[in-house]
């Protein structure tokens, strides 16, 4: 029977419909399979995209059960060899004899083989084991040194920890440099500040030791201050110039007093005001009085910071700072001196009195007699002579008399 063109068209349409039906049935079967997972499928794969990856899982079929806690050392280690350890717990129980560890010193690019050398596994309970590795020698590094542990459960599943960083810095810091004291001059206040620039150090600078006037004899032979690059409120033991010795402590606790620097005569403390000495020279009479011109000489002194300025004033009129001054004229002269030192101490004005009296005293007398003298000037009767002595400045001291011929 011949197949007409119309019949062929109907056959092709039927075939296309059949193919489409088969595709739809296949997709429906796949959707049903995803909606009802196989019970043997791992729970981690059934958890969906919100589930967190478990870094401790050794096998794709192993659920997260193991807890790794109390890792040490944390922070920086400065002494070699060092000890590291961790506590592991698993509800299935653990086989202490299966414990091992491995190391990397290049940030996990390469690892050593798993080993139990110097490893101690101490059962804490049937489900908990404390692991400790002794005699570890690692290079100085902040993040490249890592350690990882594993051991088997009683169910035969190997549990592996994450990798833990062991930061190592065994080198003490180099000396500080660029030391600057403040104030950097003489002062009358006993409070000082020292700043410096830190060298590069792997674990960073945590603080500094300092000592005044004497070199340290051992690493902690000084005052420790947890400071980045400044120590304030330093007090000296007394007046004078003081040298500060400074050495650093890093974040790992490394310190070496031999790696120090010194700021010589950094702190200069002078709490005492200057003194101006005054000496006078001239013809000296009695009772501290001079009888003629006097030369006053000055000697300003400050044994520590030195004299910054000084001067004198004579009788409240004449002033100057010449080393000598001439005092003239009958008078109780007032000579006032003052001074300031480099540290800022101001001497209280000091007054020296220069007493000068170059005039003779005045002698007076009176005669009292019962009768006047004869024309010759002689008295014929006993008489009384009254003497007087006056001096308007220094005052009379004593009056001596003597009768002629006696």
């Amino acid at each position: 029977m011949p197949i007409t063109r119309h019949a062929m068209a109907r056959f092709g349409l039927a075939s296309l419909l059949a193919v489409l039906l088969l595709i739809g049935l296949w997709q429906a079967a796949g959707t049903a399979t995803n909606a009802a997972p196989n019970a043997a499928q791992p729970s981690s794969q059934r958890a969906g995209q919100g589930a967190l990856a478990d870094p401790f899982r050794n096998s794709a079929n192993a659920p997260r059960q193991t807890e790794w806690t109390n890792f040490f050392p944390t922070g920086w280690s400065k002494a070699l060899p060092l000890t590291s350890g961790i506590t592991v717990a698993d509800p299935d129980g653990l086989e202490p004899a299966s414990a091992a560890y491995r190391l990397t010193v290049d940030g996990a690019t390469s690892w050593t083989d798993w080993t139990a050398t110097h490893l101690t596994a101490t059962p804490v309970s049937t489900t908990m084991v404390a692991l400790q590795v002794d005699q570890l020698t690692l290079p100085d590094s902040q993040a490249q040194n890592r350690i990882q542990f594993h051991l088997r459960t009683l169910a035969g599943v190997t549990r592996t920890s994450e990798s833990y960083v062991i930061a190592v810095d065994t080198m003490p810091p180099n000396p500080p440099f660029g030391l600057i004291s403040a104030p950097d001059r003489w002062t009358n206040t006993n409070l000082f500040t020292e700043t410096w620039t830190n060298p590069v150090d792997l674990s960073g600078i945590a603080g500094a030791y300092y000592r005044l006037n004497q070199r340290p004899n051992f690493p902690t032979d000084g005052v420790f201050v947890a400071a980045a690059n400044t120590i304030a409120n330093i007090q000296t033991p007394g007046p004078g110039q003081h040298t500060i010795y400074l050495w650093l402590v890093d974040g790992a606790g490394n310190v070496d007093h031999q790696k120090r620097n010194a700021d010589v005569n950094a702190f200069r403390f002078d709490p005492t005001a200057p003194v101006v000495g005054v000496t006078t020279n001239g013809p000296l009479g009695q009772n501290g009085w001079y009888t003629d011109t006097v030369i006053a000489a000055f000697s300003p002194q400050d044994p520590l910071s030195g004299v910054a300025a000084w001067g004198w004033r004579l009788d409240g009129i004449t002033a100057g700072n010449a080393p000598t001054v001439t005092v003239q004229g009958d008078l109780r002269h007032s000579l006032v001196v003052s001074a300031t030192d480099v540290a800022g101490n101001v001497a209280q004005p000091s007054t020296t009195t220069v007493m000068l009296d170059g005039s003779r005293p005045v002698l007076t007398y009176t005669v009292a007699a019962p009768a006047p003298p004869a024309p010759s000037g002689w008295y014929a009767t006993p008489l009384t002579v009254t003497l007087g002595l006056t001096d308007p400045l220094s005052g009379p001291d004593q009056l001596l008399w003597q009768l002629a011929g006696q």
Side-chain angles (χ1 to χ4, degrees):
M1 176 179 174
I3 301 175
T4 66
R5 181 179 300 176
H6 180 67
M8 290 180 65
R10 285 186 298 172
F11 178 78
L13 179 61
S15 299
L16 177 61
L17 292 174
V19 170
L20 292 175
L21 179 61
L22 289 173
I23 292 174
L25 291 173
W26 179 79
Q27 289 178 338
T31 301
T33 301
N34 290 333
N38 191 307
Q41 186 178 13
S43 60
S44 62
Q45 296 179 13
R46 300 196 306 263
Q49 294 181 354
L52 297 175
D54 185 353
F56 298 156
R57 182 174 286 104
N58 186 67
S59 168
N61 295 321
R64 178 173 184 172
Q65 294 177 329
T66 308
E67 292 184 357
W68 303 85
T69 58
N70 301 325
F71 172 78
F72 66 92
T74 57
W76 287 93
S77 297
K78 67 174 183 177
L80 296 177
L82 58 85
T83 298
S84 180
I86 199 166
T87 300
V88 55
D90 191 290
D92 291 340
L94 298 164
E95 296 181 9
S98 68
Y101 69 93
R102 64 176 183 170
L103 297 168
T104 178
V105 295
D106 55 14
T109 300
S110 61
W111 291 86
T112 65
D113 293 334
W114 290 99
T115 180
T117 303
H118 301 301
L119 173 64
T120 302
T122 303
V124 179
S125 66
T126 56
T127 59
M128 182 179 294
V129 174
L131 304 180
Q132 178 171 311
V133 184
D134 299 314
Q135 301 298 315
L136 289 177
T137 300
L138 299 171
D140 284 11
S141 173
Q142 182 175 9
Q144 297 299 302
N145 301 323
R146 300 184 185 184
I147 189 170
Q148 193 172 33
F149 302 88
H150 77 193
L151 78 170
R152 287 192 305 273
T153 67
L154 294 179
V157 179
T158 297
R159 304 297 196 193
T160 303
S161 75
E162 65 176 291
S163 63
Y164 297 91
V165 173
I166 301 178
V168 177
D169 182 3
T170 61
M171 298 298 296
N174 287 320
F177 59 94
L179 275 63
I180 301 175
S181 61
D184 59 350
R185 52 177 172 76
W186 281 97
T187 178
N188 54 13
T189 302
N190 192 8
L191 284 177
F192 297 90
T193 298
E194 189 75 14
T195 60
W196 65 89
T197 300
N198 287 319
V200 175
D201 188 88
L202 180 61
S203 58
I205 300 302
Y209 281 96
Y210 76 88
R211 189 176 185 184
L212 298 180
N213 302 322
Q214 292 183 335
R215 294 181 178 87
N217 297 309
F218 49 90
T220 58
D221 188 18
V223 178
F224 174 75
V225 180
N229 63 347
T230 301
I231 301 176
N233 300 322
I234 300 173
Q235 288 188 306
T236 68
Q241 301 185 81
H242 303 272
T243 295
I244 181 171
Y245 295 92
L246 190 71
W247 63 104
L248 303 176
V249 183
D250 66 16
N254 296 297
V255 56
D256 183 358
H257 64 293
Q258 300 290 352
K259 294 187 175 183
R260 62 178 180 264
N261 207 340
D263 197 349
V264 178
N265 296 333
F267 307 145
R268 288 166 284 179
F269 175 45
D270 180 4
T272 306
V275 175
V276 180
V278 180
T279 59
T280 54
N281 186 31
L284 188 62
Q286 297 183 21
N287 302 313
W289 285 86
Y290 290 94
T291 60
D292 205 344
T293 300
V294 174
I295 303 299
F298 307 96
S299 56
Q301 298 175 353
D302 190 281
L304 291 179
S305 63
V307 176
W310 72 279
W312 49 261
R313 183 176 292 275
L314 179 60
D315 298 329
I317 302 173
T318 305
N321 60 0
T324 62
V325 62
T326 300
V327 183
Q328 295 176 317
D330 292 356
L331 188 68
R332 289 179 179 265
H333 296 276
S334 175
L335 190 57
V336 180
V337 295
S338 61
T340 302
D341 67 14
V342 175
N345 298 296
V346 178
Q348 293 297 322
S350 175
T351 301
T352 299
T353 301
V354 180
M355 300 183 297
L356 198 158
D357 184 358
S359 301
R360 296 176 180 274
V362 177
L363 177 64
T364 61
Y365 68 94
T366 60
V367 178
S376 62
W378 290 89
Y379 287 93
T381 59
L383 52 84
T384 299
V385 179
T386 301
L387 302 175
L389 184 65
T390 60
D391 190 287
L393 187 57
S394 62
D397 181 40
Q398 60 180 341
L399 175 61
L400 302 175
W401 60 269
Q402 184 180 7
L403 290 177
Q406 296 185 3

